[in-house]
Structures are given as C-alpha cells and as structure tokens.
C-alpha cells in the first residue's frame, strides 16, 4: 500500500500490469511482447542456446528491469547519487522503448518510455486521458504521484 497526501488519490495503490512491450532495451534488440494479464504470479525461466550455462544471459533480469525503467526512468531501485541513468539502449539499436499496459486502481493506464542517443520521451495515459506533460521531468513527477514513488522504488 502507498499513502498519498493528495486528496484525489485513494489511500492505497493497486497496480496490475497486463503487458510489457520491449524494443532495443538491454539484451532485447527486436520488439518482444509479454502478455501478463490474469496470469497470477509469473516466474521467469530461460534457456541459453548460444553459450554458457543454462539460463544466464537470456534476459530474465532485463525483462524485470524494463518495467522498473518504464515506471521510474531507472534500472536500479536505488536512487542514483549523481542523477544519471545507465545506458539502456541495446548496442545494435538506435533507441530503447518500453511500454507497460495495465490497471492502476482499476483504471486502465499505458505508460511508454523511449530513449535514444540524444533524446527521450515519456507518455502517460490514464483512464482514457492523455496526462503527458510538456517535459519528461514533469510527466515523471506526475507518474510518481499516481503510482507512488516509494512503491516503484521498492519493487525489486
């Protein structure tokens, strides 16, 4: 649960992620779509067919970090001391993009974060309304208010 001082929000935050779409993020060069709706607890398992041990390097952690990056702009649950974000763009891609779709307190949301070499974007739609603000920073502040910064920083 997340407590908010804003009068327009409930006392708790209920987040259900229905899908994650990833392109050019970390080890994911091509777009990959993961449906998660109505699946309960999802366990990630992978098989590395290229080299090394059974499941190392197949993208399990990257998949989880993609959701965190979309929500917070960070791939580390700990706030960065210098405010910088690690590079998330795949070595063979021009940009990285992650889209989350789901429900926040029973209302549909879509959140899309994109980062290229010199620019980035962040869009936020909630309950049928585009809540994207003029700057990425202002949109992030709004997302933090809706989702609860303490909640998203403690997911992993």
């Amino acid at each position: 649960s997340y407590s908010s001082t804003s009068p327009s929000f409930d006392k708790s935050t209920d987040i259900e992620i229905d899908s994650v779409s990833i392109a050019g993020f970390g080890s994911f060069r091509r777009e990959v779509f993961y449906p998660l709706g109505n699946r309960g607890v999802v366990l990630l398992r992978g098989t590395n067919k290229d080299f090394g041990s059974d499941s190392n390097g197949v993208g399990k952690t990257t998949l989880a970090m993609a959701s965190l990056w979309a929500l917070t702009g960070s791939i580390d649950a700990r706030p960065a001391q210098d405010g910088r974000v690690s590079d998330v763009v795949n070595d063979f891609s021009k940009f990285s993009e992650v889209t989350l779709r789901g429900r926040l307190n029973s209302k549909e949301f879509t959140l899309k974060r994109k980062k290229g070499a010199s620019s980035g974007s962040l869009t936020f739609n909630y309950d049928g309304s585009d809540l994207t603000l003029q700057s990425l920073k202002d949109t992030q502040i709004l997302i933090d208010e809706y989702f609860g910064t303490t909640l998203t920083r403690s997911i992993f």
Side-chain angles (χ1 to χ4, degrees):
S1 283
Y2 167 73
S3 295
S4 174
T5 57
S6 174
S8 62
F9 297 109
D10 295 334
K11 291 290 179 193
S12 65
T13 303
D14 182 24
I15 302 169
E16 296 177 53
I17 298 176
D18 291 331
S19 67
V20 180
S21 178
I22 303 169
F25 182 87
S27 58
F28 293 91
R29 183 177 181 185
R30 293 183 191 93
E31 184 173 8
V32 178
F33 177 80
Y34 287 93
L36 300 171
N38 299 317
R39 296 184 76 177
V41 175
V42 176
L43 301 176
L44 301 175
R45 188 181 106 188
T47 303
N48 189 335
K49 297 179 181 177
D50 295 330
F51 61 89
S53 98
D54 290 353
S55 65
N56 287 343
V58 296
K60 299 180 303 292
T61 302
T62 302
L63 176 60
M65 291 299 113
S67 297
L68 181 64
W69 181 70
L71 285 165
T72 68
S74 176
I75 57 171
D76 190 335
R78 301 165 296 189
Q81 298 300 322
D82 61 4
R84 299 186 73 195
V85 176
S86 299
D87 193 19
V88 296
V89 180
N90 179 283
D91 291 342
F92 301 102
S93 300
K94 293 185 180 193
F95 64 89
S96 179
E97 182 175 286
V98 176
T99 303
L100 294 181
R101 287 185 173 80
R103 286 178 302 290
L104 173 64
N105 296 329
S106 301
K107 296 179 181 176
E108 290 187 6
F109 75 88
T110 301
L111 199 152
K112 182 187 290 188
R113 186 178 298 269
K114 186 174 182 177
K115 181 182 186 282
S118 61
S119 66
S121 64
L122 177 60
T123 60
F124 178 42
N125 292 283
Y126 180 70
D127 195 25
S129 297
D130 184 355
L131 301 182
T132 306
L133 299 174
Q134 194 164 6
S135 75
L136 192 147
K137 182 179 178 180
D138 289 341
T139 303
Q140 183 63 57
I141 290 169
L142 185 64
I143 290 168
D144 289 346
E145 289 175 8
Y146 273 74
F147 285 85
T149 300
T150 56
L151 175 65
T152 56
R153 295 284 184 208
S154 63
I155 288 175
F156 300 97

